[in-house]
Amino acid sequence: MGEIEGSYRVLQTPGTRLGAQFNAGISTLESGQSLSGNMVVSGSKIHGRGLQIRVQGLDDSQEFFDVDPKALGQILLSEVFHRGNLIESDYFGLEFQNMQMNWVWLEATKPIGKQVRRPANTLFRLSVKFFPPDPGQLQEEYTRYLFSLQMKRDLTEGRLICTEKTGALLASHLVQSEIGDYDDVADREFLRANKLLPYQDKVQEKIMELHCRHLGQTPAESDFQILEIARKLEMYGVRFHPAADREGTKINLAVAHLGLQVFQGITKINTFNWSKIRKLSFKRKRFLIKLHTEVHGPYQDILEFMMASRDECKNFWKICVEYHSFFRLFDQPQSKSKAILFTRGSSFRYSGRTQKQLVEYVKENGAKRTPYQRCVSLCACKLVIRKIIHFFKIFNETFPSFVDSVVDNPQLSPLTSKGSLCLSPSFQMSTLSLPSQAPSPLQSPILSEVGIISFFPQRFPTDKAYFIAKEILTTERTYLKDLEVITVWFRSAVIKENAMPEGLMTLLFSNIDPIYEFHRGFLKELDQRLALWEGRSNAHVKGDYQRIGDVMLKNMCALKEFTTFLQKHDEVLTELEKASKRLKKLETVYKEFELQKVCYLPLNTFLLKPIQRLMHYKLILERLCKHYSPAHRDYDDCKEALKEVAEIATQLQSSLIRLENFQKLTELQRDLIGIENLTAPGREFIREGCLYKLTKKGLQQRMFFLFSDMLLYTSKGVTATNQFKVHGQLPLHGMIVEESENEWSVPHCFTIYSAQRTIVVAASSKVEMGKWIEDLNMAINLAKKSQEKSSVFLDTGLTDHSNRSSDEVSLEQESEDDMNSSRTSLDKQTHHRANTTMHVCWHRNTSVSMSDHSLAVENQLSGYLLRKFKNSNGWQKLWVVFTNFCLFFYKTHQDDFPLASLPLLGYTVSTPDEFDSIHKEYVFKLQFKSHVYFFRAESEYTFERFATHFQIRSVFSQKQRMSNQSHVCCPVSTDGWR
C-alpha cells in the first residue's frame, strides 16, 4: 500500500503543551510599531508592494504594467490585451524565459509570483500562441498585422526556416508593409537598420528586386501575403521541444492545430493527429503518447519520449493540452474540482476561449468595434523628417528672417499652432490607438498622443534627463571604488603575505583587471560629459552637451567584449571559496581583510558587482528611454544602448542568480557554527530572520534560516566573532505549517510540524508571520516536487540534534547578562560584522528574504545628501552609498572607506511631520524607535529615487506639496540645494 506524502505530524496532548506568557520585554518595537517592511508615509501605512512588470510588444516596443505581486497571470494578460486594443486576444499570450533560459507561457490561473522567480527583473513578451492553419480565420486586420510581426520575429530569430528565395520574398512584403512603395535609398536604409533575415546581406538585392513588384500594395495586403506564404511553410508556428526516442536518437517535438509533430533536425518525420491520440501524459522526464488501438495495434499503442527534465516535460504537456482545447473543443473546458484529501496528476486546464468561441464572439461584436487605422511607419516618418530638417537648416542659413516669419504665421508655417506635422491636407499621421483609450504599445514612437513633433533643435534645461545621467555618473564612481577593493586592496593583501596560489591569482585578476581598466575610461567620459552638460564649457555652441546616449551606446557596445570575462565569475567565486577553505594562510588573510574598513561588505560580494552593474545600466537606460520622447535626439542612442546591454544582461541573468545564492550561502557558512557544507549543490537560500521559539522558559529569541531543503534555527553566541550556533535542523520533506495564535494564546504564533519534532514560534508582527508561513509553504511544495529530496541531507555536516527533548532549554539557557554581553561585544567590533543582515535582523526583530536581497542589489544608489539629526540645527553634506539594506556615509566620493553606516532594516520612512519643523523641499525622515534622521536631496528626481529605494510609495501628499510650496525658499546654490 502506497504512502501519502506530507500527511505525517506529531499530535500533542493538552498535558504536553507549554505554558506561554507573552514576554513584553522581548520585543524591540514601540507600541503600535511594526517591522514588517511596509513603510509609513505621512502617517499612513502602505500595505504590500506592487510590481512594475515590463512587457515587450510584437513591434519590440516596451511598456510597464503595475500589478499586485500575488495577482493571477490573467490580470496581467487582461491589462496587456486591453491596452493593446486586442479583440482576438486568445490567439496571443505572454512568454518569459525561465531559469533554464527556455521560453515558457505565463499561465492565466496561477499567481505571477509563483511562476516567475523575479517578475520585476523579467522581460515578458507578447507573442502568438496559437497559429491557425488559415489566416482567413483571423477576423481583424489588426490581428493579421500582429501575426505578420510574429512572422518577422520568427524570421529574424531563425525559427521560420525556409529557402533563401522564400525568405527574400517574405522580407520584400515586410519592407512594403513598413515603408510603402519601392525607393532605392529608402530600401537600403531600412534594410541597413533592420535585420529581417540571418542571411540578409546575401539576398539584399533580391529583396529590393521583389519589392519593386509590390507597387501600390497596401500594408494590409502585405500582411495577408506574408501570412499566406508563411502558413505553407513546414516550420510555420513550430516551436521545438528537444527530446529523445527510446533508442536515444535526438529528435524535436512540436504541437500544431492538427496534433503532435516529430522532427529530426528540421525535417518532419511523423505527425500524430488528435483523432489518433487517446491520451497524453508525462511521468517525470518521460512524455507518453497513447494511441487508439486501431492505429498501431494492441502492443504498440504507447510512444515514449525522454526530455531533459520534468519541468520541460510538463511544460510541453501543458502546451499540448492548450492546443487541443483551443482547436478541437467547441466550448471552454471546465476546471477539475480538487480532491479533499490528496490529488494525483495535474489539474491544469486551458482557461481561455476556444477558437470556435472566439470566432463567434468577434462576429457578434464586430459592428461595435472602432475601425483600425494603420499608422505611417517609423522608418518612413524618419526619412521625411530628415529631409524636412535638412531643408529648414539650409533655408534658415540662407533666409533666416523669412523662416522666422513663417514660423510665427500659423497660416504659412509647416507646423500648426500645436506643433503637429501637416504634410498635406490629404496626408495625416494616424495612430494605432482607438479613441478614448490608452495609446497602443504599437503606436509609432515618433508621435506623441496628439501627433506633436518638433523639428527645430532645442536647448534643454537641466531637467530629469540630466539627473538620470548624473545618477549614472555617481553610481559609476561607487562601482569603480568597489572594483578597487579587489584589484587594489585585496591584491595588495594577498601579495604581501604570499597567500594565494599563482593559478588562482591569474584566474582572479586576469578576469577583473580588464573590466576595471575599461570602467576607469568609462567614468572619465561620463565625468567629462556631465561637466559639459552643467555648462562649465562652451560646448553649447556645438549643441552636443545635453545628452548621454552616445556615450552610453559606445561603452555598452564595448562591454560586449568582456562577456567571456563575466561568464568566468562563477568559476572565480567557486575557486576562491575552495582555496580559502584549503589553504590556512589564505583563509587568515581573507578573514583579516574582511575586517578592514575598506571592505565594507563581505568580500565575495564585490566579485558580483560587474554582473550586477549590467543590470543597473539596463534599469537606468530604461528610465531614460521612458523619459525621452521618441523625437528627442538622444532617444535613438539610448534605445540602442539599452538593446545592447539588455542582450548581455539576458545572457548573464541565470549566472547572476546562481552567484547571488552561492555568495549568500558562503556568507552564512562563515557566520554559523555547527554546520558544514552549507553550499551543497542544489540548495537555495530563501529567508533569514528572528523568531521566538516556545520553550519551558517561555519565548526564547532564535535566528531562523530557511533553505530549499531544510529549516535551521540558531542562538546568538557570546564569542568575539558573534557567530550563531546551530541548535536544530528540520527537513522540509513532510513538514506542515499551521497558524496557532488561538491555541497558544501567543500573538503572531504558528506551529511547525516535522517528522523529527514539533516547534511553536512567534513572529514580531502579523505581517512577519505571513511572510514566514508563505515562504515555508512555498519551500515545502518545492521540496516535495524535488527528485533528489532523499539525498539532500546525506552530507549536510550538521550534528543531529533530533533526539533532544523538544524544549532544548539545557543547551540554550541564555541569561540576561549573556544577552547583554553579546550585544556589547557586537557594538564594539567593526562595522562590517555589525552590518550583516543576520545581525541586523537579530537586533531589529525582523527578517529578510532572497527576493529582498535581489531587490536591494537592483536598488543601489550613490550621491550627495544633506543629513540632519533630530535635535540639531545644521545640515551636513555627505557622500551616501545605499547598498545591502544599509546607508554608508563618506565625507566625499573620493574617500576609500565609509566614516559610518546606518542599517535600514526595520526603519520606517516618511516625509517630515509638522512638529518636525523642517521647512525645506525634498526631505525624507528615517525613524526606528527613538532614532530619527532627516535627509535632504538636491532635486525632486534624486529625492524620488532615494525615496523609492526606501519603499516610499506616495512621495508627497497634496497637503505636503502645498506646505512646501508655501515656504519662502532661498535662491538655488551652485551645488543644487536650496
Side-chain angles (χ1 to χ4, degrees):
M1 186 174 178
E3 296 181 356
I4 301 175
E5 294 184 354
S7 61
Y8 176 81
R9 66 175 178 174
V10 179
L11 298 176
Q12 298 185 1
T13 64
T16 62
R17 293 178 181 173
L18 304 175
Q21 279 191 346
F22 185 75
N23 186 350
I26 290 177
S27 175
T28 58
L29 297 176
E30 301 244 347
S31 177
Q33 272 192 317
S34 168
L35 298 187
S36 61
N38 293 332
M39 299 303 181
V40 178
V41 181
S42 299
S44 63
K45 292 185 180 180
I46 299 168
H47 299 283
R49 184 170 67 225
L51 286 174
Q52 194 174 61
I53 290 181
R54 185 163 50 104
V55 177
Q56 178 177 300
L58 278 157
D59 65 341
D60 294 333
S61 64
Q62 295 183 5
E63 288 211 6
F64 290 86
F65 296 82
D66 293 318
V67 298
D68 188 274
K70 296 182 181 179
L72 298 178
Q74 185 60 55
I75 301 298
L76 178 59
L77 286 164
S78 298
E79 182 64 26
V80 171
F81 296 152
H82 173 73
R83 197 181 294 184
N85 305 314
L86 263 172
I87 304 295
E88 298 176 283
S89 57
D90 296 86
Y91 285 112
F92 301 87
L94 291 176
E95 57 180 350
F96 62 93
Q97 286 184 301
N98 61 13
M99 289 288 293
Q100 292 73 40
M101 304 307 290
N102 297 321
W103 287 100
V104 295
W105 295 105
L106 179 71
E107 292 184 36
T109 57
K110 287 177 63 177
I112 298 172
K114 293 196 175 180
Q115 301 182 63
V116 189
R117 182 161 183 176
R118 298 180 182 178
N121 277 358
T122 302
L123 173 66
F124 295 81
R125 67 177 189 180
L126 180 69
S127 301
V128 174
K129 190 172 187 178
F130 302 115
F131 293 81
D134 181 6
Q137 294 176 306
L138 304 176
Q139 307 294 308
E140 294 273 306
E141 179 189 332
Y142 184 43
T143 308
R144 291 193 290 273
Y145 168 60
L146 294 180
F147 264 74
S148 72
L149 290 178
Q150 181 68 58
M151 297 304 104
K152 177 183 176 182
R153 180 189 286 175
D154 288 354
L155 274 175
T156 304
E157 295 179 355
R159 289 197 292 196
L160 188 58
I161 300 172
C162 56
T163 64
E164 291 183 359
K165 182 178 179 181
T166 303
L169 181 60
L170 283 166
S172 68
H173 284 293
L174 285 167
V175 176
Q176 177 72 21
S177 175
E178 289 286 337
I179 67 174
D181 291 340
Y182 173 81
D183 177 271
D184 186 78
V185 175
D187 276 35
R188 292 185 187 280
E189 184 161 346
F190 179 84
L191 291 172
R192 179 182 59 80
N194 296 272
K195 191 77 171 177
L196 303 178
L197 300 167
Y199 44 85
Q200 185 166 301
D201 294 341
K202 186 177 179 182
V203 296
Q204 179 165 316
E205 296 302 322
K206 185 65 176 178
I207 295 172
M208 296 172 64
E209 177 190 332
L210 292 169
H211 184 205
C212 290
R213 304 177 188 178
H214 307 327
L215 188 65
Q217 186 172 285
T218 66
E221 290 170 341
S222 297
D223 294 340
F224 194 85
Q225 290 299 322
I226 291 167
L227 297 182
E228 274 294 306
I229 298 167
R231 76 180 183 92
K232 298 173 185 176
L233 299 174
E234 197 164 67
M235 301 299 291
Y236 166 69
V238 170
R239 301 291 182 264
F240 281 158
H241 297 264
D245 60 17
R246 284 182 174 177
E247 287 73 37
T249 305
K250 291 184 179 180
I251 50 95
N252 289 307
L253 298 178
V255 61
H257 66 283
L258 284 176
L260 267 67
Q261 300 172 334
V262 183
F263 289 80
Q264 193 160 11
I266 60 172
T267 304
K268 189 193 299 181
I269 59 175
N270 212 338
T271 299
F272 299 100
N273 290 343
W274 297 122
S275 59
K276 298 178 182 179
I277 298 174
R278 179 167 59 89
K279 184 178 181 181
L280 294 176
S281 62
F282 68 94
K283 188 173 183 181
R284 296 186 177 90
K285 298 180 182 181
R286 292 183 296 157
F287 185 80
L288 305 173
I289 304 175
K290 296 185 179 181
L291 303 173
H292 288 290
T293 306
E294 60 270 18
V295 178
H296 281 289
Y299 303 108
Q300 300 177 356
D301 63 338
I302 300 179
L303 300 174
E304 182 178 311
F305 300 93
M306 187 69 71
M307 306 191 83
S309 67
R310 179 186 180 278
D311 288 344
E312 290 184 32
C313 199
K314 185 175 183 179
N315 178 48
F316 180 59
W317 174 80
K318 287 180 178 180
I319 296 172
C320 293
V321 169
E322 293 186 311
Y323 251 83
H324 178 267
S325 301
F326 184 77
F327 286 109
R328 293 283 289 181
L329 300 185
F330 291 148
D331 299 313
Q332 180 179 345
Q334 299 299 314
S335 60
K336 245 186 183 180
S337 59
K338 292 186 177 179
I340 298 175
L341 294 178
F342 63 92
T343 62
R344 183 175 181 179
S346 174
S347 61
F348 176 77
R349 293 292 182 274
Y350 172 61
S351 59
R353 292 175 290 202
T354 66
Q355 188 186 34
K356 183 177 182 296
Q357 290 175 318
L358 180 58
V359 171
E360 290 173 354
Y361 169 79
V362 175
K363 286 180 179 178
E364 291 172 3
N365 294 272
K368 301 176 185 177
R369 64 181 183 271
T370 308
Y372 155 70
Q373 291 182 308
R374 186 66 168 265
C375 74
V376 177
S377 76
L378 174 61
C379 184
C381 287
K382 283 184 175 178
L383 289 172
V384 175
I385 290 167
R386 193 175 294 117
K387 292 177 181 178
I388 295 175
I389 291 173
H390 180 65
F391 167 77
F392 272 101
K393 280 183 177 179
I394 297 174
F395 205 83
N396 188 37
E397 291 172 0
T398 311
F399 305 107
S401 58
F402 177 77
V403 172
D404 291 340
S405 64
V406 169
V407 172
D408 292 337
N409 189 339
Q411 296 179 345
L412 300 177
S413 177
L415 302 177
T416 67
S417 58
K418 290 184 178 180
S420 57
L421 175 62
C422 296
L423 297 179
S424 71
S426 60
F427 180 49
Q428 296 180 358
M429 291 186 176
S430 61
T431 71
L432 296 183
S433 297
L434 301 181
S436 304
Q437 296 188 15
S440 164
L442 295 166
Q443 179 176 338
S444 174
I446 204 163
L447 300 173
S448 69
E449 292 179 351
V450 294
I452 298 174
I453 188 167
S454 174
F455 286 102
F456 296 99
Q458 297 179 10
R459 288 185 59 190
F460 286 82
T462 52
D463 62 353
K464 185 176 180 179
Y466 162 74
F467 289 106
I468 296 175
K470 191 171 182 179
E471 181 183 336
I472 299 173
L473 172 65
T474 56
T475 52
E476 189 71 8
R477 282 174 175 162
T478 296
Y479 171 55
L480 199 66
K481 283 288 183 182
D482 287 342
L483 290 180
E484 287 177 356
V485 172
I486 300 291
T487 60
V488 178
W489 298 93
F490 185 60
R491 188 205 306 263
S492 176
V494 294
I495 290 176
K496 182 180 179 181
E497 300 296 330
N498 193 23
M500 187 177 288
E502 186 72 24
L504 183 57
M505 284 280 289
T506 302
L507 176 64
L508 172 58
F509 295 109
S510 66
N511 274 282
I512 201 165
D513 282 347
I515 296 172
Y516 172 67
E517 290 302 322
F518 166 78
H519 284 282
R520 285 182 64 190
F522 183 27
L523 177 61
K524 186 176 181 181
E525 288 186 49
L526 289 172
D527 209 354
Q528 290 172 345
R529 177 54 57 88
L530 265 293
L532 298 177
W533 201 330
E534 290 165 354
R536 287 179 274 158
S537 76
N538 62 350
H540 62 276
V541 176
K542 301 176 183 178
D544 63 353
Y545 66 109
Q546 289 185 343
R547 58 195 176 99
I548 198 70
D550 56 332
V551 176
M552 295 302 295
L553 178 56
K554 172 191 170 186
N555 286 279
M556 294 306 100
C557 290
L559 262 178
K560 278 189 171 180
E561 299 176 11
F562 297 94
T563 305
T564 53
F565 294 105
L566 296 171
Q567 288 171 336
K568 288 186 178 180
H569 274 52
D570 201 332
E571 180 185 357
V572 171
L573 199 62
T574 305
E575 292 301 318
L576 180 60
E577 182 64 21
K578 287 180 181 178
S580 63
K581 288 181 178 178
R582 189 177 70 251
L583 304 171
K584 188 67 178 177
K585 183 183 284 188
L586 179 59
E587 181 185 22
T588 302
V589 171
Y590 194 114
K591 289 181 177 179
E592 289 179 352
F593 182 77
E594 280 198 320
L595 294 176
Q596 292 184 25
K597 290 183 178 180
V598 72
C599 189
Y600 66 98
L601 299 171
L603 178 59
N604 55 14
T605 302
F606 294 98
L607 291 171
L608 305 184
K609 295 288 184 179
I611 302 181
Q612 291 170 347
R613 186 58 176 158
L614 288 174
M615 308 303 168
H616 299 161
Y617 292 141
K618 185 163 75 74
L619 292 170
I620 295 174
L621 283 167
E622 284 172 351
R623 201 175 305 123
L624 198 55
C625 289
K626 193 174 181 180
H627 166 70
Y628 281 138
S629 69
H632 193 280
R633 61 181 174 177
D634 205 24
Y635 178 83
D636 286 343
D637 283 342
C638 289
K639 194 76 174 178
E640 194 62 29
L642 174 59
K643 181 181 176 182
E644 294 290 337
V645 75
E647 184 180 328
I648 312 172
T650 300
Q651 295 177 32
L652 297 168
Q653 180 70 47
S654 58
S655 294
L656 177 59
I657 294 172
R658 287 196 309 272
L659 287 170
E660 288 176 350
N661 182 67
F662 182 79
Q663 184 277 325
K664 185 59 185 177
L665 292 176
T666 55
E667 178 188 325
L668 291 176
Q669 183 74 75
R670 288 189 173 90
D671 282 335
L672 297 180
I673 298 174
I675 185 170
E676 299 295 334
N677 197 25
L678 195 60
T679 57
R683 179 172 291 141
E684 294 185 24
F685 167 76
I686 297 175
R687 180 174 289 276
E688 64 181 335
C690 181
L691 293 171
Y692 292 93
K693 183 176 177 293
L694 198 57
T695 69
K696 287 181 179 179
K697 293 285 187 179
L699 291 172
Q700 296 286 324
Q701 187 177 6
R702 297 287 177 265
M703 193 71 184
F704 280 71
F705 301 89
L706 175 60
F707 303 94
S708 58
D709 59 341
M710 64 178 174
L711 177 67
L712 296 180
Y713 54 97
T714 67
S715 64
K716 184 73 167 58
V718 294
T719 63
T721 58
N722 282 285
Q723 292 170 295
F724 287 82
K725 182 179 179 181
V726 175
H727 280 282
Q729 166 200 358
L730 302 178
L732 297 188
H733 182 51
M735 182 181 286
I736 296 175
V737 181
E738 288 183 353
E739 290 189 37
S740 50
E741 290 181 89
N742 297 333
E743 186 177 5
W744 295 99
S745 301
V746 175
H748 322 311
C749 173
F750 57 98
T751 304
I752 301 173
Y753 302 93
S754 77
Q756 293 181 352
R757 74 186 65 148
T758 298
I759 63 172
V760 180
V761 295
S764 61
S765 69
K766 195 165 187 68
V767 175
E768 273 293 304
M769 179 182 72
K771 290 178 181 179
W772 274 106
I773 292 177
E774 182 180 358
D775 279 357
L776 277 164
N777 285 327
M778 179 268 292
I780 291 167
N781 290 332
L782 289 176
K784 189 184 296 183
K785 296 176 183 177
S786 173
Q787 299 301 305
E788 299 175 354
K789 55 193 172 189
S790 60
S791 62
V792 168
F793 306 100
L794 295 180
D795 189 28
T796 60
L798 177 67
T799 304
D800 185 12
H801 306 294
S802 59
N803 294 324
R804 276 205 242 135
S805 61
S806 60
D807 55 25
E808 303 175 341
V809 175
S810 60
L811 294 178
E812 298 187 25
Q813 289 182 3
E814 292 171 334
S815 67
E816 196 65 26
D817 292 336
D818 290 336
M819 297 295 291
N820 291 336
S821 65
S822 170
R823 288 192 176 93
T824 303
S825 63
L826 175 64
D827 293 339
K828 287 181 179 179
Q829 64 181 334
T830 60
H831 71 281
H832 163 60
R833 277 294 172 199
N835 286 328
T836 57
T837 52
M838 70 165 65
H839 290 90
V840 178
C841 286
W842 175 265
H843 289 288
R844 302 249 171 101
N845 201 10
T846 187
S847 69
V848 173
S849 70
M850 192 63 203
S851 297
D852 296 327
H853 279 283
S854 301
L855 189 63
V857 166
E858 294 173 17
N859 292 335
Q860 297 186 23
L861 202 59
S862 306
Y864 281 103
L865 290 176
L866 300 180
R867 183 184 67 178
K868 178 182 178 298
F869 296 107
K870 181 180 180 181
N871 299 318
S872 65
N873 295 322
W875 294 83
Q876 181 184 15
K877 185 177 179 181
L878 295 168
W879 176 259
V880 177
V881 175
F882 178 58
T883 183
N884 289 45
F885 312 103
C886 191
L887 284 176
F888 296 92
F889 303 106
Y890 302 74
K891 189 173 182 180
T892 73
H893 68 83
Q894 298 171 329
D895 293 352
D896 291 323
F897 54 83
L899 302 172
S901 63
L902 177 64
L904 293 187
L905 289 175
Y907 268 77
T908 56
V909 187
S910 64
T911 50
D913 297 312
E914 290 184 5
F915 61 83
D916 290 321
S917 300
I918 303 292
H919 306 303
K920 301 288 184 180
E921 288 188 314
Y922 316 135
V923 177
F924 53 89
K925 175 182 178 181
L926 295 176
Q927 182 169 4
F928 174 72
K929 298 180 71 174
S930 60
H931 302 282
V932 179
Y933 304 89
F934 299 97
F935 292 91
R936 186 170 148 215
E938 64 175 338
S939 67
E940 183 172 3
Y941 171 79
T942 311
F943 170 82
E944 288 175 352
R945 290 292 294 138
F946 273 99
T948 301
H949 283 21
F950 301 153
Q951 301 177 1
I952 298 179
R953 287 300 177 191
S954 302
V955 178
F956 277 116
S957 65
Q958 186 64 29
K959 179 180 178 182
Q960 180 70 38
R961 285 185 180 275
M962 293 177 66
S963 175
N964 283 338
Q965 291 170 1
S966 66
H967 297 305
V968 178
C969 298
C970 301
V972 179
S973 63
T974 55
D975 62 2
W977 274 284
R978 293 170 183 265

